Amino acid sequence: MNFPLSHTVRHCLASPLGVVWWLALILSVPGSVMAQTKDLRTLDLEDLMNLKVTSVGKKEQRISNVGAAVFVITREDIRRSGMTNVPDLLRMVPGVDVARIDSHTWAISIRGFNYRYSSKVLVLIDGRTVFTPSFSGVFWDQQSLPLEDIERIEVIRGPGGTVWGANAVNGVINIMTRSARDTPGGLVSAGSGSKDSAQGLVQYGGSVGAKGAYRAYGRYSTVENSTFADRSPAADGLHNSQAGFRSDWNLSHHDNLTVQGDFFGASEGQTVTTLFPNKLPDYYIFNDKVRVGTENLLGRWNHTFTNGSQTSVQLYYDHVRRFDTGLETLSTGDFDFQYHFHAGARNDVVAGTGFRVTDDRFSEGYSIVFGTGRRTNKLFTTFLQDELRITNSLALTIGSKLEHNAYTGLEYEPSAQLVWTPTESQTVWASASKAIEQPSWYFAEARQDAATFPVSGGFADYQILGNAQSKAAELFDYEIGYRARLSERFTFDATAFLSDYRRLQTLEPRPPYFTMSPAPPHLVLPNVWDNLGQARNYGVELSGGWDLTSWWRISPGFSFLQMKFTLDPTSKDTSLALTPGDSPKRQAQLRSTMNLPHHLEWDTSVYYVAALGTGPVPSYTRLDTRLGWRVGESMEFSIAGQNLLAPRHTEFMDALQVLPTQIERSVVGRVTWRF
């Protein structure tokens, strides 16, 4: 069922004059009426410097005491965003590049190196790593969860390897869900719109005796097919369903336990262009079905000793079965132990150890073959981080992680952070750290028939071959930052960084040879992965919050990124120089939040993304807006428009085998009932 914008509304929202008209209308509301609305200034802004985050040091810290570039997407940000998925929520974070490829495929990165499988960003949901070791990337369509149950999303821009380990190179995205104790009662939510044809959530929570609480949910969504750049229809629609639960238990005054799990299934479409090794040299373009099934179960026990020190033990099992240009079955078991304690009056120490085993199987691939088709990896980790309080206003945090992985053996990831808080409302910090990117199964063992082209007397097959001797790519990162509450109405956060990358992956040609198999006879141009690339990137990231009035807040953001790549003198790689074309140099955001009379809410976001060299993909400006109405404590109605400035646009082209589609203007209506 479609809800197209009327001509008048579409014209008003799609033009700058229309936006000004709407602002004038709102500002014309008498001040005495606006005074009846909730005071935004006391809602969050004064407490922004006191927000608690846990992702930087694996302990609860005030954001003012953190020596890292951290952005928190709060529960209220999520509710008022009008978004329907996690990737779109990440657009509000300066320095995060979110590019949609088709209706369910995304390329998301931090500080460059964007790709469908962005291997330099670690993504977690409640402490569970959600990347696939075959490509070291994230299938974002699998990371589906009720947005109503997310407590917050903490985004670290910059290395997080000291506490999180490999692949936390350019950043960490940590999605944390709400305790079952915070979600009692029932919730029913339904939505429909011009592109999201149906969305539904049913959830109920309650108590289990005096010590326990639970919630269980089921959800379903569908998205219609979009279109290609030539306006022809694509086949990228999706249908998915999900069920899950979470239980939280206060076993004693010193012990609490969390047990949670999710079950997810999806049927999706995509258009791919690929080669088949036994049907060379022809390319095949066809509509392909993607089928996904996942299950996970996680348990976490926290214990607090009488002296205030704390231990945490976490176990999870994750199973994924995915057919996506090949059948992959991945099983992951993970154990993590952490101890947080004070050593004397000045030392706050966090230490931990962990073990992970993955069993990965891949078969029936199109142009890619993964070695023998099965690989089992074991990962051993340990880390120690100490926050030394030098004075009341100056703290130094040092630490390192040691990891032993199945590809490169023993690796270490040290870091140091210096935090100075000259006043309660100002923080100056600096950091230096090292992080590594562990090779994936693809880089170590895969063989891919990447391209064919005619040559005299036949054709040539451009092959990409894995390298079992691959090394871990390294980042040496240096940052400085400043965050402050400059007045009762204005907060400001700035970060500047210099990133030195070493041992980046390159493709090195090997001598060509002629082969008779598979038929027909042809020339093979082999290229092997190696680590002969370097890069030196730098940039700035800015964000802030400004209460213009007691009922109107705007939150601007901006990021700039400069990337420069070089090669070892022995390298003959031609692909690394194209990497900057996948990431925009500049991005900007401006979010507006208004509390209107009669429990109305009007929220608007504008996003600017500079052009990409790959494609090329032109720059675009995205306008989203949401109008919400809260009826008492139980009912909420909203209508949200996305991409309102243009009928459609392209966001990314470098999508491996998947053909990109256009992102279209859409409108979604939603009703939520809590009881």
Side-chain angles (χ1 to χ4, degrees):
M1 183 175 180
N2 292 331
F3 292 84
L5 288 172
S6 70
H7 175 77
T8 302
V9 174
R10 183 164 61 245
H11 175 74
C12 287
L13 291 175
S15 66
L17 287 177
V19 175
V20 172
W21 183 87
W22 278 103
L23 291 178
L25 176 64
I26 297 300
L27 291 173
S28 67
V29 178
S32 59
V33 177
M34 282 299 181
Q36 300 173 16
T37 64
K38 193 172 183 179
D39 191 332
L40 279 178
R41 185 170 51 194
T42 61
L43 182 63
D44 280 326
L45 197 54
E46 188 175 350
D47 297 326
L48 280 179
M49 296 290 288
N50 296 318
L51 275 176
K52 299 293 182 66
V53 295
T54 60
S55 301
V56 177
K58 278 198 172 181
K59 63 180 180 181
E60 192 173 85
Q61 296 174 277
R62 286 174 48 185
I63 198 168
S64 59
N65 295 331
V66 167
V70 184
F71 190 98
V72 179
I73 303 174
T74 66
R75 187 168 75 246
E76 188 72 356
D77 291 333
I78 295 170
R79 185 185 69 83
R80 300 187 65 159
S81 68
M83 302 301 188
T84 59
N85 55 68
V86 171
D88 274 335
L89 288 173
L90 297 173
R91 295 181 188 272
M92 67 179 70
V93 185
V96 176
D97 180 18
V98 178
R100 206 179 89 185
I101 299 170
D102 64 17
S103 66
H104 55 82
T105 308
W106 306 79
I108 299 177
S109 69
I110 299 175
R111 296 181 178 176
F113 296 93
N114 206 8
Y115 187 50
R116 182 186 176 187
Y117 305 109
S118 296
S119 56
K120 292 178 175 60
V121 177
L122 188 67
V123 182
L124 308 107
I125 299 177
D126 287 327
R128 176 174 56 89
T129 303
V130 296
F131 81 102
T132 172
S134 55
F135 296 98
S136 290
V138 175
F139 290 111
W140 283 98
D141 56 328
Q142 293 175 191
Q143 317 317 321
S144 176
L145 66 163
L147 300 188
E148 293 85 349
D149 290 338
I150 297 178
E151 176 64 30
R152 65 185 183 275
I153 302 175
E154 296 180 5
V155 180
I156 302 174
R157 305 183 306 269
T162 296
V163 296
W164 296 109
N167 296 73
V169 178
N170 284 354
V172 177
I173 299 172
N174 193 4
I175 304 167
M176 289 170 280
T177 61
R178 305 178 69 185
S179 168
R181 295 187 178 279
D182 297 331
T183 56
L187 185 151
V188 177
S189 177
S192 183
S194 58
K195 291 305 298 177
D196 296 313
S197 57
Q199 292 185 351
L201 168 67
V202 177
Q203 178 174 293
Y204 192 81
S207 299
V208 182
K211 296 184 176 181
Y214 76 93
R215 71 166 173 264
Y217 73 89
R219 64 190 300 266
Y220 174 79
S221 66
T222 67
V223 176
E224 298 176 356
N225 295 328
S226 53
T227 60
F228 292 115
D230 62 0
R231 310 292 176 87
S232 63
D236 60 342
L238 69 89
H239 306 266
N240 65 48
S241 56
Q242 186 176 8
F245 74 95
R246 172 166 172 160
S247 62
D248 292 277
W249 306 79
N250 289 336
L251 303 179
S252 70
H253 291 298
H254 301 285
D255 299 272
N256 60 74
L257 175 69
T258 297
V259 180
Q260 63 189 77
D262 299 277
F263 309 88
F264 172 82
S267 176
E268 307 166 348
Q270 62 185 6
T271 303
V272 299
T273 175
T274 186
L275 296 167
F276 289 94
N278 59 346
K279 297 181 180 180
L280 298 176
D282 295 331
Y283 287 91
Y284 292 84
I285 301 177
F286 56 94
N287 295 332
D288 191 33
K289 279 291 184 182
V290 177
R291 293 177 291 277
V292 183
T294 72
E295 309 93 36
N296 67 79
L297 182 66
L298 180 146
R300 183 171 51 252
W301 170 49
N302 297 320
H303 175 75
T304 302
F305 294 93
T306 54
N307 63 359
S309 60
Q310 300 171 319
T311 60
S312 176
V313 178
Q314 178 178 280
L315 292 164
Y316 72 78
Y317 172 77
D318 197 341
H319 179 77
V320 177
R321 180 180 173 86
R322 182 184 183 97
F323 185 85
D324 182 356
T325 65
L327 175 62
E328 180 177 15
T329 304
L330 172 64
S331 298
T332 303
D334 185 277
F335 164 81
D336 182 79
F337 170 79
Q338 180 179 305
Y339 183 35
H340 178 203
F341 63 97
H342 292 272
R346 294 183 178 273
N347 296 82
D348 189 356
V349 182
V350 180
T353 187
F355 172 71
R356 180 184 304 155
V357 59
T358 59
D359 181 61
D360 204 350
R361 307 184 187 193
F362 195 96
S363 60
E364 302 178 18
Y366 295 164
S367 64
I368 302 176
V369 177
F370 281 84
T372 62
R374 181 175 184 179
R375 184 176 180 110
T376 300
N377 292 330
K378 297 179 180 179
L379 177 69
F380 301 87
T381 69
T382 184
F383 81 96
L384 175 70
Q385 184 164 271
D386 179 20
E387 179 184 346
L388 172 63
R389 179 63 58 179
I390 301 173
T391 68
N392 289 336
S393 61
L394 187 64
L396 173 66
T397 301
I398 57 174
S400 184
K401 185 149 196 156
L402 297 176
E403 289 187 321
H404 189 280
N405 66 72
Y407 295 98
T408 62
L410 184 65
E411 302 284 353
Y412 68 98
E413 298 174 84
S415 69
Q417 304 168 359
L418 188 65
V419 179
W420 179 42
T421 52
T423 68
E424 290 186 358
S425 59
Q426 294 186 82
T427 301
V428 180
W429 61 269
S431 69
S433 55
K434 175 189 174 185
I436 65 114
E437 177 189 347
Q438 177 182 303
S440 66
W441 191 13
Y442 173 78
F443 285 112
E445 292 187 357
R447 188 194 79 232
Q448 180 181 6
D449 295 295
T452 59
F453 51 88
V455 295
S456 178
F459 71 93
D461 176 17
Y462 184 91
Q463 264 188 11
I464 298 176
L465 304 174
N467 183 356
Q469 305 303 315
S470 291
K471 300 175 183 178
E474 296 178 333
L475 166 64
F476 295 86
D477 182 78
Y478 311 92
E479 302 185 26
I480 187 169
Y482 174 74
R483 62 175 65 95
R485 181 164 59 89
L486 300 178
S487 71
E488 292 185 356
R489 292 180 176 268
F490 189 72
T491 63
F492 178 69
D493 193 314
T495 302
F497 61 89
L498 174 65
S499 303
D500 185 9
Y501 299 87
R502 304 175 188 177
R503 303 198 305 209
L504 294 174
Q505 288 97 351
T506 57
L507 271 175
E508 304 300 333
R510 294 294 186 264
Y513 62 91
F514 193 79
T515 184
M516 304 290 290
S517 178
H522 58 278
L523 183 68
V524 177
L525 304 177
N527 293 262
V528 178
W529 288 110
D530 209 331
N531 299 90
L532 301 179
Q534 300 89 35
R536 177 161 291 183
N537 301 348
Y538 61 88
V540 295
E541 296 151 351
L542 310 174
S543 62
W546 184 15
D547 285 343
L548 282 82
T549 69
S550 62
W551 49 270
W552 185 8
R553 173 182 302 160
I554 62 172
S555 302
F558 173 80
S559 63
F560 170 79
L561 172 67
Q562 182 67 46
M563 308 175 72
K564 182 179 180 181
F565 290 80
T566 58
L567 294 170
D568 185 276
T570 63
S571 175
K572 295 181 173 59
D573 176 89
T574 59
S575 61
L576 192 63
L578 303 177
T579 303
D582 290 330
S583 303
K585 282 190 174 183
R586 292 172 299 277
Q587 295 188 88
Q589 305 90 8
L590 182 62
R591 293 184 293 134
S592 167
T593 305
M594 292 183 178
N595 282 354
L596 308 180
H598 309 297
H599 305 289
L600 290 173
E601 302 166 336
W602 185 27
D603 309 300
T604 302
S605 299
V606 181
Y607 305 95
Y608 168 77
V609 180
L612 304 183
T614 301
V617 177
S619 64
Y620 67 89
T621 301
R622 168 180 172 137
L623 172 66
D624 299 343
T625 192
R626 168 189 173 271
L627 185 65
W629 180 36
R630 306 189 77 171
V631 183
E633 296 295 325
S634 60
M635 294 291 293
E636 180 177 339
F637 300 88
S638 67
I639 183 168
Q642 298 179 350
N643 299 293
L644 298 178
L645 293 181
R648 58 187 58 84
H649 67 273
T650 300
E651 293 188 352
F652 203 71
M653 295 294 291
D654 189 7
L656 199 56
Q657 297 170 317
V658 177
L659 295 186
T661 62
Q662 298 261 288
I663 289 76
E664 300 178 49
R665 177 188 291 144
S666 63
V667 178
V668 177
R670 176 177 295 277
V671 57
T672 301
W673 175 39
R674 292 177 172 85
F675 58 93

Coordinates of all heavy atoms in Angstrom, one line a residue, residues 68-70 111 157 429 431 478-483 492-497 539-543 558 560:
A68 N 38.8 9.6 23.8 CA 38.6 9.0 22.5 C 37.4 9.8 21.9 O 36.6 10.5 22.6 CB 38.2 7.5 22.6
A69 N 37.3 9.7 20.6 CA 36.2 10.3 19.9 C 35.0 9.4 19.9 O 34.9 8.4 19.2 CB 36.6 10.6 18.4
V70 N 34.0 9.8 20.8 CA 32.8 9.0 21.0 C 31.6 9.8 20.7 O 31.5 10.9 21.1 CB 32.8 8.5 22.5 CG1 31.6 7.6 22.7 CG2 34.1 7.8 22.9
R111 N 36.0 6.8 8.8 CA 37.3 7.3 8.4 C 37.9 6.6 7.2 O 39.1 6.3 7.1 CB 38.3 7.3 9.6 CG 37.9 8.2 10.7 CD 38.9 8.2 11.8 NE 38.5 9.1 12.9 CZ 39.1 9.3 14.1 NH1 40.2 8.6 14.3 NH2 38.7 10.1 15.0
R157 N 35.0 6.5 17.1 CA 35.7 6.8 15.8 C 37.2 6.8 16.1 O 37.7 7.6 16.9 CB 35.3 8.2 15.3 CG 33.8 8.3 15.1 CD 33.5 9.7 14.5 NE 34.0 10.8 15.2 CZ 33.4 11.4 16.2 NH1 32.2 11.0 16.6 NH2 33.9 12.5 16.8
W429 N 41.8 16.1 25.4 CA 42.4 14.8 25.4 C 43.3 14.5 24.2 O 43.2 15.2 23.2 CB 41.3 13.7 25.5 CG 40.4 13.7 24.3 CD1 39.2 14.4 24.2 CD2 40.5 13.0 23.1 NE1 38.6 14.1 23.0 CE2 39.4 13.2 22.3 CE3 41.5 12.1 22.6 CZ2 39.2 12.7 21.0 CZ3 41.3 11.5 21.4 CH2 40.2 11.8 20.6
S431 N 45.6 11.0 22.3 CA 45.8 9.6 22.3 C 46.7 9.1 21.2 O 46.9 9.8 20.2 CB 44.4 8.8 22.2 OG 43.9 9.0 20.8
Y478 N 47.1 8.8 15.8 CA 47.4 9.9 16.8 C 46.2 10.9 16.7 O 45.8 11.3 15.6 CB 48.7 10.6 16.4 CG 49.8 9.6 16.2 CD1 50.1 9.2 14.9 CD2 50.6 9.2 17.3 CE1 51.1 8.2 14.7 CE2 51.6 8.2 17.1 CZ 51.9 7.8 15.8 OH 52.9 6.9 15.6
E479 N 45.6 11.2 17.9 CA 44.4 12.0 17.9 C 44.5 13.1 19.0 O 45.2 12.9 20.1 CB 43.2 11.2 18.1 CG 43.0 10.1 17.1 CD 41.7 9.4 17.3 OE1 40.7 9.9 17.8 OE2 41.6 8.2 16.8
I480 N 43.8 14.2 18.8 CA 43.6 15.2 19.9 C 42.2 15.7 19.8 O 41.6 15.7 18.7 CB 44.6 16.3 19.7 CG1 44.6 17.3 20.9 CG2 44.4 17.1 18.4 CD1 45.7 18.3 20.9
G481 N 41.6 15.9 21.0 CA 40.2 16.3 21.0 C 39.9 17.3 22.1 O 40.6 17.5 23.0
Y482 N 38.7 17.9 21.9 CA 38.2 18.9 22.8 C 36.7 18.8 22.9 O 36.1 18.8 21.8 CB 38.7 20.3 22.4 CG 38.1 21.4 23.3 CD1 38.5 21.7 24.6 CD2 37.1 22.3 22.8 CE1 38.0 22.7 25.4 CE2 36.5 23.3 23.6 CZ 37.0 23.5 24.9 OH 36.5 24.5 25.6
R483 N 36.2 18.7 24.1 CA 34.7 18.7 24.2 C 34.3 19.6 25.4 O 35.1 19.6 26.4 CB 34.1 17.3 24.4 CG 34.6 16.5 25.6 CD 33.8 15.2 25.7 NE 34.2 14.3 24.6 CZ 35.1 13.3 24.7 NH1 35.9 13.2 25.8 NH2 35.4 12.6 23.6
F492 N 30.0 21.5 22.4 CA 30.9 21.4 21.3 C 31.8 20.2 21.5 O 32.3 20.0 22.5 CB 31.6 22.7 21.1 CG 32.6 22.7 20.0 CD1 32.1 22.7 18.7 CD2 34.0 22.7 20.2 CE1 33.0 22.8 17.6 CE2 34.9 22.8 19.1 CZ 34.4 22.8 17.8
D493 N 32.1 19.5 20.4 CA 33.0 18.4 20.4 C 33.8 18.4 19.1 O 33.3 18.5 18.0 CB 32.2 17.1 20.5 CG 33.1 15.9 20.8 OD1 34.2 15.7 20.2 OD2 32.8 15.1 21.7
A494 N 35.2 18.4 19.2 CA 36.0 18.4 18.1 C 37.1 17.4 18.2 O 37.7 17.2 19.3 CB 36.7 19.8 17.9
T495 N 37.5 16.7 17.1 CA 38.6 15.7 17.1 C 39.4 15.9 15.8 O 38.8 16.1 14.7 CB 38.0 14.3 17.1 OG1 37.2 14.1 18.2 CG2 39.1 13.3 17.1
A496 N 40.7 15.9 15.9 CA 41.6 15.9 14.8 C 42.5 14.6 14.9 O 42.9 14.2 16.0 CB 42.5 17.1 14.8
F497 N 42.7 14.0 13.8 CA 43.4 12.7 13.8 C 44.4 12.6 12.6 O 44.3 13.3 11.6 CB 42.5 11.5 13.7 CG 41.6 11.5 12.5 CD1 42.1 10.8 11.3 CD2 40.4 12.1 12.4 CE1 41.3 10.8 10.2 CE2 39.6 12.1 11.3 CZ 40.1 11.4 10.1
G539 N 42.3 14.1 9.2 CA 41.0 14.7 9.1 C 40.5 15.3 10.4 O 41.2 15.3 11.5
V540 N 39.3 15.9 10.4 CA 38.7 16.5 11.6 C 37.2 16.0 11.6 O 36.6 15.7 10.6 CB 38.7 18.0 11.6 CG1 40.2 18.5 11.7 CG2 38.1 18.6 10.3
E541 N 36.7 16.0 12.8 CA 35.3 15.7 13.0 C 34.7 16.6 14.1 O 35.3 16.8 15.2 CB 35.1 14.2 13.5 CG 35.6 13.2 12.5 CD 36.1 11.9 13.1 OE1 36.3 11.9 14.3 OE2 36.4 11.0 12.3
L542 N 33.6 17.3 13.8 CA 33.0 18.3 14.6 C 31.5 17.9 14.9 O 30.8 17.4 14.0 CB 33.1 19.7 14.0 CG 34.4 20.1 13.5 CD1 34.3 21.5 12.8 CD2 35.4 20.2 14.6
S543 N 31.1 18.2 16.1 CA 29.6 18.0 16.4 C 29.3 18.9 17.5 O 30.1 19.4 18.3 CB 29.3 16.5 16.8 OG 30.0 16.2 17.9
F558 N 30.0 17.8 11.3 CA 30.8 17.9 10.0 C 32.1 17.1 10.2 O 32.6 16.9 11.3 CB 31.3 19.4 9.9 CG 32.2 19.6 8.7 CD1 31.8 19.7 7.4 CD2 33.6 19.7 8.9 CE1 32.7 19.8 6.3 CE2 34.5 19.9 7.9 CZ 34.0 19.9 6.6
F560 N 35.8 15.9 7.8 CA 36.7 16.1 6.7 C 37.7 15.0 6.7 O 38.3 14.7 7.8 CB 37.3 17.4 6.7 CG 38.4 17.6 5.6 CD1 38.1 17.8 4.3 CD2 39.8 17.4 6.0 CE1 39.1 17.9 3.3 CE2 40.8 17.5 5.0 CZ 40.5 17.7 3.7

